[in-house]
Amino acid sequence: MSSTNLQKRFLDAPFEDFATSLLPLYSGPQVTIRIGFASHEYILPKALLCKQSPYFAAAFEGNFKEGEDQSTTLEVIDGVGSTRSFQMLSQRLCLGRVVFGELTQRKASLLRSNSSDWQICAA
């Protein structure tokens, strides 16, 4: 099920459907995801994360070290993987949307100075 479908089902579901099919995704075992040198750590519901992401399903349900430890560390890669990008991914996977918050003057000028970032953020 895509994040958009999950959000629609979540928002439109009668309580009986919510309680039996959606609520269990938010409870149960949790997994730990660290970004970079473990400076940022996130604990998320395993069932929801694995249902929404084939990558995390393979990591946490497969025969990998991550599956044994129920944790993983994601590498920070300039322009690709960062703490902020994982925060946005987490919101998308768990909520079906990303909440950006207010765009400060400094952030707006940084976005304008790098047009490729602007296109990504504006899309």
mmCIF file of all heavy atoms in Angstrom, residues 39-67:
data_model
loop_
_atom_site.group_PDB
_atom_site.id
_atom_site.type_symbol
_atom_site.label_atom_id
_atom_site.label_comp_id
_atom_site.label_asym_id
_atom_site.label_seq_id
_atom_site.Cartn_x
_atom_site.Cartn_y
_atom_site.Cartn_z
ATOM 1 N N SER A 39 24.688 10.328 15.800
ATOM 2 C CA SER A 39 24.368 11.569 16.492
ATOM 3 C C SER A 39 22.859 11.820 16.525
ATOM 4 O O SER A 39 22.366 12.495 17.405
ATOM 5 C CB SER A 39 25.088 12.750 15.851
ATOM 6 O OG SER A 39 24.708 12.874 14.500
ATOM 7 N N HIS A 40 22.156 11.268 15.557
ATOM 8 C CA HIS A 40 20.706 11.361 15.523
ATOM 9 C C HIS A 40 20.150 9.948 15.490
ATOM 10 O O HIS A 40 20.546 9.144 14.652
ATOM 11 C CB HIS A 40 20.234 12.139 14.285
ATOM 12 C CG HIS A 40 20.589 13.578 14.340
ATOM 13 N ND1 HIS A 40 21.781 14.064 13.854
ATOM 14 C CD2 HIS A 40 19.929 14.636 14.845
ATOM 15 C CE1 HIS A 40 21.821 15.363 14.047
ATOM 16 N NE2 HIS A 40 20.719 15.745 14.644
ATOM 17 N N GLU A 41 19.233 9.657 16.388
ATOM 18 C CA GLU A 41 18.657 8.318 16.485
ATOM 19 C C GLU A 41 17.139 8.424 16.495
ATOM 20 O O GLU A 41 16.579 9.277 17.185
ATOM 21 C CB GLU A 41 19.160 7.660 17.777
ATOM 22 C CG GLU A 41 18.699 6.246 17.950
ATOM 23 C CD GLU A 41 19.322 5.595 19.176
ATOM 24 O OE1 GLU A 41 20.530 5.288 19.140
ATOM 25 O OE2 GLU A 41 18.591 5.418 20.167
ATOM 26 N N TYR A 42 16.489 7.569 15.723
ATOM 27 C CA TYR A 42 15.037 7.580 15.613
ATOM 28 C C TYR A 42 14.520 6.185 15.904
ATOM 29 O O TYR A 42 15.075 5.193 15.424
ATOM 30 C CB TYR A 42 14.611 8.018 14.202
ATOM 31 C CG TYR A 42 15.139 9.380 13.860
ATOM 32 C CD1 TYR A 42 16.374 9.534 13.241
ATOM 33 C CD2 TYR A 42 14.424 10.519 14.205
ATOM 34 C CE1 TYR A 42 16.881 10.789 12.954
ATOM 35 C CE2 TYR A 42 14.926 11.783 13.917
ATOM 36 C CZ TYR A 42 16.147 11.912 13.297
ATOM 37 O OH TYR A 42 16.651 13.161 13.023
ATOM 38 N N ILE A 43 13.437 6.111 16.663
ATOM 39 C CA ILE A 43 12.797 4.836 16.964
ATOM 40 C C ILE A 43 11.421 4.879 16.308
ATOM 41 O O ILE A 43 10.610 5.760 16.605
ATOM 42 C CB ILE A 43 12.696 4.609 18.477
ATOM 43 C CG1 ILE A 43 14.104 4.565 19.067
ATOM 44 C CG2 ILE A 43 11.933 3.330 18.780
ATOM 45 C CD1 ILE A 43 14.167 4.530 20.566
ATOM 46 N N LEU A 44 11.201 3.928 15.387
ATOM 47 C CA LEU A 44 9.983 3.922 14.587
ATOM 48 C C LEU A 44 9.308 2.558 14.650
ATOM 49 O O LEU A 44 9.976 1.547 14.890
ATOM 50 C CB LEU A 44 10.318 4.262 13.130
ATOM 51 C CG LEU A 44 10.918 5.643 12.909
ATOM 52 C CD1 LEU A 44 11.532 5.742 11.531
ATOM 53 C CD2 LEU A 44 9.862 6.703 13.091
ATOM 54 N N PRO A 45 7.990 2.509 14.402
ATOM 55 C CA PRO A 45 7.291 1.224 14.399
ATOM 56 C C PRO A 45 7.745 0.347 13.232
ATOM 57 O O PRO A 45 7.655 0.751 12.072
ATOM 58 C CB PRO A 45 5.816 1.597 14.276
ATOM 59 C CG PRO A 45 5.753 3.048 14.014
ATOM 60 C CD PRO A 45 7.108 3.635 14.173
ATOM 61 N N LYS A 46 8.228 -0.830 13.558
ATOM 62 C CA LYS A 46 8.774 -1.740 12.546
ATOM 63 C C LYS A 46 7.727 -2.125 11.503
ATOM 64 O O LYS A 46 7.999 -2.091 10.299
ATOM 65 C CB LYS A 46 9.323 -2.994 13.220
ATOM 66 C CG LYS A 46 9.839 -4.021 12.241
ATOM 67 C CD LYS A 46 10.300 -5.272 12.951
ATOM 68 C CE LYS A 46 10.687 -6.345 11.952
ATOM 69 N NZ LYS A 46 11.099 -7.570 12.643
ATOM 70 N N ALA A 47 6.529 -2.506 11.929
ATOM 71 C CA ALA A 47 5.507 -2.978 10.988
ATOM 72 C C ALA A 47 5.164 -1.913 9.957
ATOM 73 O O ALA A 47 5.069 -2.200 8.758
ATOM 74 C CB ALA A 47 4.251 -3.410 11.743
ATOM 75 N N LEU A 48 5.009 -0.685 10.396
ATOM 76 C CA LEU A 48 4.671 0.406 9.476
ATOM 77 C C LEU A 48 5.822 0.690 8.525
ATOM 78 O O LEU A 48 5.634 0.799 7.311
ATOM 79 C CB LEU A 48 4.308 1.667 10.258
ATOM 80 C CG LEU A 48 3.930 2.875 9.408
ATOM 81 C CD1 LEU A 48 2.643 2.602 8.635
ATOM 82 C CD2 LEU A 48 3.783 4.101 10.262
ATOM 83 N N LEU A 49 7.019 0.772 9.072
ATOM 84 C CA LEU A 49 8.189 1.053 8.248
ATOM 85 C C LEU A 49 8.389 -0.031 7.194
ATOM 86 O O LEU A 49 8.624 0.266 6.023
ATOM 87 C CB LEU A 49 9.419 1.145 9.160
ATOM 88 C CG LEU A 49 10.639 1.860 8.648
ATOM 89 C CD1 LEU A 49 10.325 3.313 8.321
ATOM 90 C CD2 LEU A 49 11.749 1.785 9.668
ATOM 91 N N CYS A 50 8.262 -1.295 7.585
ATOM 92 C CA CYS A 50 8.466 -2.405 6.650
ATOM 93 C C CYS A 50 7.338 -2.512 5.628
ATOM 94 O O CYS A 50 7.568 -2.885 4.484
ATOM 95 C CB CYS A 50 8.629 -3.713 7.418
ATOM 96 S SG CYS A 50 10.176 -3.786 8.357
ATOM 97 N N LYS A 51 6.131 -2.163 6.022
ATOM 98 C CA LYS A 51 5.009 -2.210 5.083
ATOM 99 C C LYS A 51 5.151 -1.135 4.002
ATOM 100 O O LYS A 51 4.820 -1.355 2.846
ATOM 101 C CB LYS A 51 3.683 -2.026 5.816
ATOM 102 C CG LYS A 51 2.477 -2.170 4.910
ATOM 103 C CD LYS A 51 1.225 -2.315 5.733
ATOM 104 C CE LYS A 51 0.012 -2.566 4.885
ATOM 105 N NZ LYS A 51 -0.004 -3.840 4.215
ATOM 106 N N GLN A 52 5.701 0.015 4.383
ATOM 107 C CA GLN A 52 5.794 1.140 3.460
ATOM 108 C C GLN A 52 7.077 1.158 2.640
ATOM 109 O O GLN A 52 7.155 1.862 1.644
ATOM 110 C CB GLN A 52 5.682 2.461 4.227
ATOM 111 C CG GLN A 52 4.345 2.662 4.887
ATOM 112 C CD GLN A 52 3.259 2.948 3.885
ATOM 113 O OE1 GLN A 52 3.187 2.347 2.822
ATOM 114 N NE2 GLN A 52 2.385 3.875 4.213
ATOM 115 N N SER A 53 8.106 0.423 3.078
ATOM 116 C CA SER A 53 9.398 0.521 2.408
ATOM 117 C C SER A 53 10.018 -0.851 2.168
ATOM 118 O O SER A 53 10.396 -1.530 3.121
ATOM 119 C CB SER A 53 10.353 1.370 3.256
ATOM 120 O OG SER A 53 11.681 1.231 2.798
ATOM 121 N N PRO A 54 10.163 -1.252 0.905
ATOM 122 C CA PRO A 54 10.830 -2.526 0.616
ATOM 123 C C PRO A 54 12.269 -2.559 1.143
ATOM 124 O O PRO A 54 12.764 -3.600 1.549
ATOM 125 C CB PRO A 54 10.810 -2.609 -0.914
ATOM 126 C CG PRO A 54 9.774 -1.645 -1.362
ATOM 127 C CD PRO A 54 9.662 -0.598 -0.299
ATOM 128 N N TYR A 55 12.933 -1.414 1.146
ATOM 129 C CA TYR A 55 14.299 -1.344 1.657
ATOM 130 C C TYR A 55 14.340 -1.734 3.134
ATOM 131 O O TYR A 55 15.134 -2.592 3.548
ATOM 132 C CB TYR A 55 14.871 0.071 1.470
ATOM 133 C CG TYR A 55 16.203 0.257 2.156
ATOM 134 C CD1 TYR A 55 17.381 -0.145 1.536
ATOM 135 C CD2 TYR A 55 16.281 0.818 3.431
ATOM 136 C CE1 TYR A 55 18.606 0.009 2.167
ATOM 137 C CE2 TYR A 55 17.498 0.973 4.068
ATOM 138 C CZ TYR A 55 18.652 0.567 3.429
ATOM 139 O OH TYR A 55 19.867 0.717 4.062
ATOM 140 N N PHE A 56 13.488 -1.102 3.940
ATOM 141 C CA PHE A 56 13.489 -1.398 5.371
ATOM 142 C C PHE A 56 12.926 -2.792 5.651
ATOM 143 O O PHE A 56 13.363 -3.451 6.593
ATOM 144 C CB PHE A 56 12.751 -0.321 6.159
ATOM 145 C CG PHE A 56 13.507 0.978 6.221
ATOM 146 C CD1 PHE A 56 12.984 2.129 5.670
ATOM 147 C CD2 PHE A 56 14.764 1.041 6.818
ATOM 148 C CE1 PHE A 56 13.692 3.321 5.717
ATOM 149 C CE2 PHE A 56 15.480 2.229 6.866
ATOM 150 C CZ PHE A 56 14.942 3.372 6.321
ATOM 151 N N ALA A 57 11.984 -3.247 4.837
ATOM 152 C CA ALA A 57 11.471 -4.612 5.008
ATOM 153 C C ALA A 57 12.598 -5.621 4.818
ATOM 154 O O ALA A 57 12.754 -6.556 5.619
ATOM 155 C CB ALA A 57 10.331 -4.881 4.029
ATOM 156 N N ALA A 58 13.397 -5.436 3.774
ATOM 157 C CA ALA A 58 14.513 -6.352 3.529
ATOM 158 C C ALA A 58 15.536 -6.274 4.661
ATOM 159 O O ALA A 58 16.044 -7.298 5.127
ATOM 160 C CB ALA A 58 15.174 -6.027 2.188
ATOM 161 N N ALA A 59 15.828 -5.075 5.116
ATOM 162 C CA ALA A 59 16.837 -4.896 6.164
ATOM 163 C C ALA A 59 16.394 -5.512 7.486
ATOM 164 O O ALA A 59 17.151 -6.250 8.120
ATOM 165 C CB ALA A 59 17.140 -3.415 6.353
ATOM 166 N N PHE A 60 15.159 -5.231 7.905
ATOM 167 C CA PHE A 60 14.727 -5.636 9.243
ATOM 168 C C PHE A 60 14.051 -7.001 9.295
ATOM 169 O O PHE A 60 13.951 -7.604 10.357
ATOM 170 C CB PHE A 60 13.800 -4.575 9.848
ATOM 171 C CG PHE A 60 14.512 -3.283 10.129
ATOM 172 C CD1 PHE A 60 14.062 -2.100 9.573
ATOM 173 C CD2 PHE A 60 15.638 -3.245 10.934
ATOM 174 C CE1 PHE A 60 14.716 -0.902 9.824
ATOM 175 C CE2 PHE A 60 16.302 -2.060 11.190
ATOM 176 C CZ PHE A 60 15.841 -0.888 10.637
ATOM 177 N N GLU A 61 13.585 -7.508 8.160
ATOM 178 C CA GLU A 61 12.931 -8.814 8.151
ATOM 179 C C GLU A 61 13.775 -9.880 7.465
ATOM 180 O O GLU A 61 13.411 -11.050 7.461
ATOM 181 C CB GLU A 61 11.554 -8.703 7.488
ATOM 182 C CG GLU A 61 10.605 -7.820 8.283
ATOM 183 C CD GLU A 61 9.268 -7.595 7.604
ATOM 184 O OE1 GLU A 61 9.152 -7.824 6.377
ATOM 185 O OE2 GLU A 61 8.340 -7.168 8.306
ATOM 186 N N GLY A 62 14.885 -9.468 6.873
ATOM 187 C CA GLY A 62 15.757 -10.405 6.170
ATOM 188 C C GLY A 62 16.842 -10.954 7.078
ATOM 189 O O GLY A 62 16.889 -10.687 8.278
ATOM 190 N N ASN A 63 17.718 -11.736 6.487
ATOM 191 C CA ASN A 63 18.821 -12.352 7.228
ATOM 192 C C ASN A 63 20.054 -11.459 7.216
ATOM 193 O O ASN A 63 21.125 -11.870 6.782
ATOM 194 C CB ASN A 63 19.149 -13.729 6.627
ATOM 195 C CG ASN A 63 18.013 -14.691 6.799
ATOM 196 O OD1 ASN A 63 17.335 -14.685 7.825
ATOM 197 N ND2 ASN A 63 17.776 -15.517 5.799
ATOM 198 N N PHE A 64 19.879 -10.242 7.682
ATOM 199 C CA PHE A 64 20.961 -9.290 7.735
ATOM 200 C C PHE A 64 21.229 -8.935 9.193
ATOM 201 O O PHE A 64 20.407 -9.183 10.074
ATOM 202 C CB PHE A 64 20.601 -8.005 6.960
ATOM 203 C CG PHE A 64 20.378 -8.234 5.504
ATOM 204 C CD1 PHE A 64 19.086 -8.270 4.976
ATOM 205 C CD2 PHE A 64 21.453 -8.411 4.635
ATOM 206 C CE1 PHE A 64 18.875 -8.481 3.634
ATOM 207 C CE2 PHE A 64 21.246 -8.620 3.281
ATOM 208 C CZ PHE A 64 19.953 -8.663 2.783
ATOM 209 N N LYS A 65 22.356 -8.303 9.424
ATOM 210 C CA LYS A 65 22.707 -7.847 10.772
ATOM 211 C C LYS A 65 21.611 -6.920 11.322
ATOM 212 O O LYS A 65 21.253 -6.989 12.493
ATOM 213 C CB LYS A 65 24.055 -7.122 10.734
ATOM 214 C CG LYS A 65 24.544 -6.653 12.088
ATOM 215 C CD LYS A 65 25.888 -5.944 11.942
ATOM 216 C CE LYS A 65 26.482 -5.534 13.255
ATOM 217 N NZ LYS A 65 25.681 -4.646 14.052
ATOM 218 N N GLU A 66 21.064 -6.066 10.439
ATOM 219 C CA GLU A 66 19.998 -5.142 10.856
ATOM 220 C C GLU A 66 18.785 -5.902 11.386
ATOM 221 O O GLU A 66 18.127 -5.458 12.314
ATOM 222 C CB GLU A 66 19.581 -4.242 9.694
ATOM 223 C CG GLU A 66 20.636 -3.267 9.246
ATOM 224 C CD GLU A 66 21.662 -3.855 8.283
ATOM 225 O OE1 GLU A 66 21.611 -5.058 7.972
ATOM 226 O OE2 GLU A 66 22.524 -3.086 7.833
ATOM 227 N N GLY A 67 18.482 -7.046 10.765
ATOM 228 C CA GLY A 67 17.361 -7.857 11.218
ATOM 229 C C GLY A 67 17.597 -8.449 12.594
ATOM 230 O O GLY A 67 16.676 -8.539 13.405
#
